[in-house]
Amino acid sequence: MTETLQHQQPEAASAEESKVQTAAAKPKRKTAKKPAAKKGAGKKLVIVESPAKGKTIKKYLGRGYEVVASMGHIRDLPKSKLGVDIENDFTPQYINIRSQSATIKELKAQAKQSSMVYLATDPDREGEAISWHLTTLLGLPEGLQNRVTFNEITKTGVKNGMAAPRTIDMDLVDAQQARRVLDRLVGYKISPLLWRKIRSGLSAGRVQSVVVSLIVKREDEILSFVPEEYWSIEAVLHKQDNFKEFTAKFLGKNGEKIALHNKDEADAILKELEGARYVVQEVKLGTRKKSPPPPFITSTLQQEASRRFGFQSRRTMQAAQELYEGMDVEGFGTLGLITYMRTDSLRLSDEARQGAKEYILSTYGERYYPETPRIYKSKNAQDGHEAIRPTTPSITPAMAKDSLTSDQFKIYKLVWERFMASQMESCVMKTVRALIDANGYTFGASGYRVEFDGYTVLYDEAKDEEKTQQGMLPPLEEQEELVLQNLQGNQHFTAPPPRYTEASLIKTLEENGIGRPSTYAPTIGTVLSRRYVEREGRQLKPTELGRVTNQLITDNFHEIVDVDFTANMESQLDLVEAGKLPWKQVIRDFYGEFEKELEAADQNITGEKIALQDEITDVICEKCGRNMVIKHGRYGKFLACPGYPECKNTKRLVTKAEGHCPRCGRELEEKTSKKGKKFFGCSGYPDCDFMTWDTPLKDTCPVCGKTLLRKNGKNGKIYCSNEHCDFEKGLDEV
């Protein structure tokens, strides 16, 4: 930074004084030309985390500012050693990140020639810590009010942020330091024990170990589940003068429920119902209000994007990050379209709620806006943030569509509709519940009709199973006799709990207070990349490596995989953030017991390494006749002979794709490039070299009958794989 920050410059000499001084000087000679001022000299510097965010902010700040990106963290604990001085009260030993050397050099140069440096990293713990590290790196004065935050990257959001600079919030920084040191202690102390007993390269983590444990426990529940048989009886009925059929389910007798465990019990009831009269015993009419869901927080956005679009959490957060950082929207210029996407707060600003009100009243009318504006309360949230909402409610998804990629549009539409619906009137349904008597046995039937659609005119979060429910029953009168159309018993079996999907896992983590919004996506990514867990469709399944690693950690470090312990640790980090608990006290309390477990584990984990069981396939090795097994390599899974080193036969693991090659008609296969990118090619390679980056579909072209391909992205479409066929249609036509 220039000296204008440190010292006041002397006043300039008057014009007359200058003339006298010049005359008294040495004889005139040609003076050297002054060097040109460096770019950005004297300007105010704003440091953000990403170039995309910086580009948007620069347009709002104008010529007096330079905006540069730190590209994330610039200082961290060293990778080569623990980096935490345990003997010196757990002091972290930060170093500059080597890969960031060019960025650091640029930041120092820019700061040196700037009149003021503003730190505008993300508004959360990580962002606060990055700003703190930048303060140290750039030698900025302590206590300088130069920390600015933007909840939204719009002209108003940037203006408000720059108008309210503050000092670094050390409580936020300390919460991040506590988390970082805890994770380092767990990872660097347990991992070597895993290397000793299982294999090198493995890692343990404070949150990732709990995630693996949850997935393993769920798989154990599924494997140990014993289905139980049960039966139901359903009567299909209609009125004497109205042939609209409806279904009534068997409930019991004389107000007591009867459970049917097997066919004999069901058949006994069916026999007693032979020739029975079905008479309406009771009719209950009611009204039910269905309130809109609250606006999105990080976890619920990830869950809904997974349910609706099949998006993995990383994909959802990538699109949300882009929408937050800003883009050029046709007709509106450059702006961020949504507020900060890492939040667990349900709070909405008065300005945002007013924007929603104006849109609802002008588009749908007064009936669709509640008498009392909706205000949602958060639980254990950083209320400095808002919920995830559109920054400019008047920009509808349709207006922004042409400026967005397919993923960005889907996420923006989801966020916009959810926010708008959260401010609308409830859906009102008329319900009816009928009890029907048949030879002393009771059947029940229920239905509903929508009297006022309310928020569902815009947004419906009904789950698939809810959508299959009946509509309204025909008008029924008490003591009315009905006509039996069909009566039958149905066999059922209880089902095991489902495997976790990313959506259901995130919901479980949130409900149990494990991790925070910013950690869900990267934690799931870590357990997948470490191959502790693998995907089977949308489901998450533990691998043999995950099971063995989880068992070793569970046996020796029970608290590390304990849900309640991990949740309590998150609560302590929240107390640090609130300034109610010293961060090093959290580390001290944890490490005392952890150190004892480490010493015991060091004694217990001895002997030969655990041999991992490879997955056996039905593919026979053509060289020695053994069943080949699945191995993991640099480019993914492959088949190998278990007879190694006597038999070294390997072959690629074929994953079939939908459709057929448009050139030769052979099956298509899913393949992986050397850079790890997925593509699809003909199974007849090298005889046929057809390949595509776009996803083959099971549907065929209505023009030529060849396989259709799906191209995602901003210009996404469905098109024919036959290069001589021009058939295509938009993704929104699917």
Side-chain angles (χ1 to χ4, degrees):
M1 291 169 56
T2 60
E3 291 192 354
T4 53
L5 275 178
Q6 307 294 334
H7 305 288
Q8 189 174 11
Q9 296 295 315
E11 294 182 4
S14 68
E16 290 298 322
E17 289 172 331
S18 297
K19 289 179 181 178
V20 172
Q21 291 171 1
T22 302
K26 292 180 179 180
K28 290 183 180 179
R29 61 182 178 183
K30 193 172 182 180
T31 56
K33 193 174 182 180
K34 291 182 179 179
K38 294 182 179 179
K39 180 184 176 183
K43 290 186 177 181
K44 296 175 182 178
L45 180 66
V46 179
I47 303 177
V48 297
E49 287 184 46
S50 76
K53 182 178 174 183
K55 183 180 177 182
T56 309
I57 292 171
K58 171 65 176 172
K59 290 194 175 184
Y60 296 133
L61 293 179
R63 294 182 179 179
Y65 293 84
E66 284 294 325
V67 184
V68 295
S70 73
M71 310 301 291
H73 280 275
I74 41 86
R75 299 176 77 225
D76 197 6
L77 300 175
K79 290 183 178 180
S80 59
K81 60 179 182 178
L82 181 64
V84 178
D85 189 347
I86 297 174
E87 302 302 322
N88 190 23
D89 202 18
F90 305 98
T91 301
Q93 300 167 332
Y94 296 114
I95 62 169
N96 294 349
I97 298 174
R98 184 177 299 176
S99 61
Q100 286 276 56
S101 57
T103 301
I104 291 171
K105 185 177 180 181
E106 173 67 13
L107 290 172
K108 286 183 175 180
Q110 290 275 13
K112 187 176 181 180
Q113 57 186 296
S114 300
S115 62
M116 184 64 181
V117 177
Y118 289 101
L119 306 174
T121 50
D122 287 349
D124 55 17
R125 289 178 188 170
E126 293 297 321
E128 203 73 16
I130 292 173
S131 285
W132 179 65
H133 284 299
L134 284 167
T135 297
T136 301
L137 181 80
L138 302 177
L140 303 180
E142 289 186 13
L144 192 64
Q145 291 190 324
N146 66 335
R147 173 71 170 122
V148 294
T149 56
F150 310 126
N151 187 55
E152 58 184 63
I153 310 300
T154 61
K155 189 172 184 178
T156 300
V158 172
K159 179 182 176 182
N160 291 342
M162 294 301 295
R166 57 171 174 79
T167 58
I168 297 287
D169 185 338
M170 286 308 300
D171 292 331
L172 268 176
V173 173
D174 287 347
Q176 190 275 343
Q177 287 197 97
R179 182 202 63 78
R180 188 73 185 94
V181 170
L182 281 171
D183 290 347
R184 176 55 66 98
L185 291 172
V186 170
Y188 274 51
K189 290 291 187 179
I190 296 181
S191 295
L193 300 176
L194 301 181
W195 304 342
R196 183 197 303 175
K197 192 63 178 176
I198 304 174
R199 72 180 187 206
S200 62
L202 300 182
S203 71
R206 188 176 56 85
V207 177
Q208 79 175 47
S209 296
V210 179
V211 168
V212 174
S213 178
L214 287 170
I215 294 171
V216 169
K217 286 179 180 177
R218 177 58 58 88
E219 193 71 15
D220 288 342
E221 290 174 17
I222 294 169
L223 294 173
S224 63
F225 183 81
V226 179
E228 293 183 6
E229 182 183 9
Y230 70 96
W231 282 68
S232 65
I233 298 175
E234 293 182 340
V236 179
L237 306 163
H238 65 76
K239 290 168 64 73
Q240 301 280 356
D241 57 353
N242 184 337
F243 294 96
K244 179 185 177 182
E245 295 178 347
F246 63 93
T247 300
K249 296 182 178 181
F250 173 76
L251 299 177
K253 189 174 185 179
N254 298 326
E256 296 290 331
K257 287 188 177 181
I258 296 177
L260 305 176
H261 302 94
N262 50 54
K263 187 176 186 301
D264 290 341
E265 292 180 3
D267 285 345
I269 301 294
L270 289 170
K271 186 172 182 60
E272 292 192 41
L273 289 170
E274 290 178 1
R277 294 169 61 240
Y278 289 78
V279 180
V280 178
Q281 192 176 30
E282 181 181 306
V283 178
K284 289 184 177 180
L285 300 177
T287 300
R288 183 164 75 92
K289 280 191 173 185
K290 186 178 179 184
S291 298
F296 282 125
I297 58 176
T298 306
S299 58
T300 53
L301 174 61
Q302 292 175 359
Q303 292 165 42
E304 190 69 356
S306 174
R307 189 180 72 82
R308 292 201 179 208
F309 313 129
F311 281 12
Q312 295 170 12
S313 54
R314 190 181 296 274
R315 183 176 177 184
T316 298
M317 294 306 289
Q318 177 64 39
Q321 179 91 30
E322 293 161 358
L323 290 168
Y324 164 70
E325 291 183 342
M327 58 200 62
D328 188 13
V329 181
E330 187 177 348
F332 297 93
T334 302
L335 77 164
L337 282 174
I338 67 171
T339 54
Y340 193 55
M341 64 288 157
R342 294 188 181 94
T343 177
D344 52 2
S345 170
L346 294 175
R347 186 177 66 82
L348 294 171
S349 68
D350 293 339
E351 182 182 4
R353 287 192 285 112
Q354 181 62 30
K357 179 180 179 180
E358 291 171 1
Y359 180 85
I360 294 165
L361 292 176
S362 63
T363 306
Y364 299 104
E366 292 186 4
R367 280 189 76 197
Y368 286 84
Y369 190 77
E371 290 184 10
T372 304
R374 297 189 183 279
I375 298 176
Y376 298 92
K377 292 186 178 180
S378 309
K379 183 174 72 172
N380 298 327
Q382 301 174 31
D383 209 46
H385 293 174
E386 287 189 61
I388 304 172
R389 62 164 177 83
T391 58
T392 311
S394 59
I395 302 179
T396 66
M399 293 176 182
K401 184 175 183 180
D402 291 342
S403 304
L404 306 178
T405 65
S406 176
D407 282 8
Q408 289 168 353
F409 173 71
K410 286 178 179 177
I411 296 301
Y412 182 63
K413 186 172 185 287
L414 200 59
V415 168
W416 188 91
E417 290 182 348
R418 176 84 163 222
F419 160 73
M420 205 61 71
S422 75
Q423 297 301 297
M424 295 177 74
E425 185 57 274
S426 299
C427 172
V428 180
M429 294 177 288
K430 288 294 184 183
T431 62
V432 60
R433 169 76 170 167
L435 297 179
I436 301 162
D437 178 79
N439 277 1
Y441 290 101
T442 304
F443 285 76
S446 61
Y448 67 90
R449 66 175 173 81
V450 176
E451 185 177 57
F452 174 60
D453 51 10
Y455 78 92
T456 62
V457 70
L458 176 64
Y459 180 87
D460 185 8
E461 64 161 357
K463 306 297 188 291
D464 295 335
E465 61 269 19
E466 293 175 353
K467 294 179 181 179
T468 62
Q469 290 184 353
Q470 295 178 347
M472 198 64 175
L473 298 178
L476 299 175
E477 300 288 339
E478 293 184 2
Q479 303 308 312
E480 175 183 3
E481 185 172 345
L482 303 171
V483 178
L484 176 67
Q485 190 67 31
N486 184 43
L487 180 69
Q488 66 178 29
N490 300 302
Q491 185 185 38
H492 308 274
F493 290 93
T494 54
R499 282 180 179 150
Y500 285 112
T501 61
E502 283 200 22
S504 61
L505 178 61
I506 287 170
K507 184 178 181 181
T508 298
L509 294 175
E510 181 189 27
E511 290 174 345
N512 287 280
I514 300 170
R516 282 298 178 261
S518 59
T519 66
Y520 298 140
T523 300
I524 293 172
T526 297
V527 300
L528 286 164
S529 65
R530 297 287 184 184
R531 294 204 291 270
Y532 296 142
V533 174
E534 62 184 2
R535 285 195 179 93
E536 199 167 275
R538 291 191 187 184
Q539 298 177 330
L540 299 173
K541 175 185 177 183
T543 62
E544 179 68 13
L545 176 61
R547 283 184 167 281
V548 170
T549 304
N550 176 70
Q551 191 61 53
L552 189 66
I553 294 175
T554 301
D555 290 343
N556 294 277
F557 304 95
H558 174 72
E559 287 188 338
I560 297 299
V561 294
D562 182 73
V563 170
D564 292 336
F565 177 82
T566 306
N568 181 60
M569 187 64 67
E570 293 293 347
S571 297
Q572 290 188 58
L573 294 178
D574 288 342
L575 290 175
V576 173
E577 181 176 329
K580 298 178 180 178
L581 183 64
W583 75 272
K584 286 191 176 181
Q585 186 61 49
V586 175
I587 309 299
R588 295 185 204 110
D589 293 344
F590 165 79
Y591 196 76
E593 188 62 33
F594 181 61
E595 187 176 33
K596 295 176 184 177
E597 290 181 337
L598 280 170
E599 293 172 356
D602 189 54
Q603 300 296 321
N604 295 335
I605 300 177
T606 57
E608 296 182 359
K609 289 188 175 183
I610 299 172
L612 298 176
Q613 299 297 316
D614 294 314
E615 183 179 346
I616 302 173
T617 71
D618 56 3
V619 179
I620 303 299
C621 174
E622 62 271 22
K623 293 185 178 180
C624 68
R626 296 181 176 93
N627 284 73
M628 301 191 83
V629 297
I630 296 176
K631 295 281 189 179
H632 293 268
R634 183 178 178 183
Y635 302 119
K637 295 180 180 180
F638 66 95
L639 292 172
C641 181
Y644 183 88
E646 292 83 9
C647 180
K648 300 180 180 179
N649 186 27
T650 63
K651 59 175 66 177
R652 63 191 183 88
L653 181 65
V654 176
T655 302
K656 292 182 180 180
E658 299 284 1
H660 294 81
C661 176
R663 295 180 186 171
C664 68
R666 294 185 179 97
E667 290 183 328
L668 294 174
E669 297 175 353
E670 181 182 310
K671 303 183 179 185
T672 306
S673 70
K674 289 184 177 180
K675 292 185 177 180
K677 188 175 180 181
K678 182 169 68 175
F679 70 97
F680 302 89
C682 181
S683 59
Y685 182 84
D687 296 332
C688 178
D689 62 357
F690 172 80
M691 66 81 62
T692 177
W693 298 107
D694 299 326
T695 306
L697 306 176
K698 62 181 178 181
D699 300 324
T700 55
C701 176
V703 177
C704 69
K706 301 293 186 180
T707 293
L708 290 176
L709 301 177
R710 179 189 185 100
K711 179 182 180 66
N712 293 316
K714 184 175 181 179
N715 300 312
K717 61 182 179 179
I718 303 292
Y719 69 99
C720 184
S721 59
N722 180 1
E723 57 189 350
H724 303 296
C725 179
D726 295 329
F727 174 80
E728 66 175 54
K729 60 181 178 180
L731 294 177
D732 55 354
E733 300 176 55
V734 179

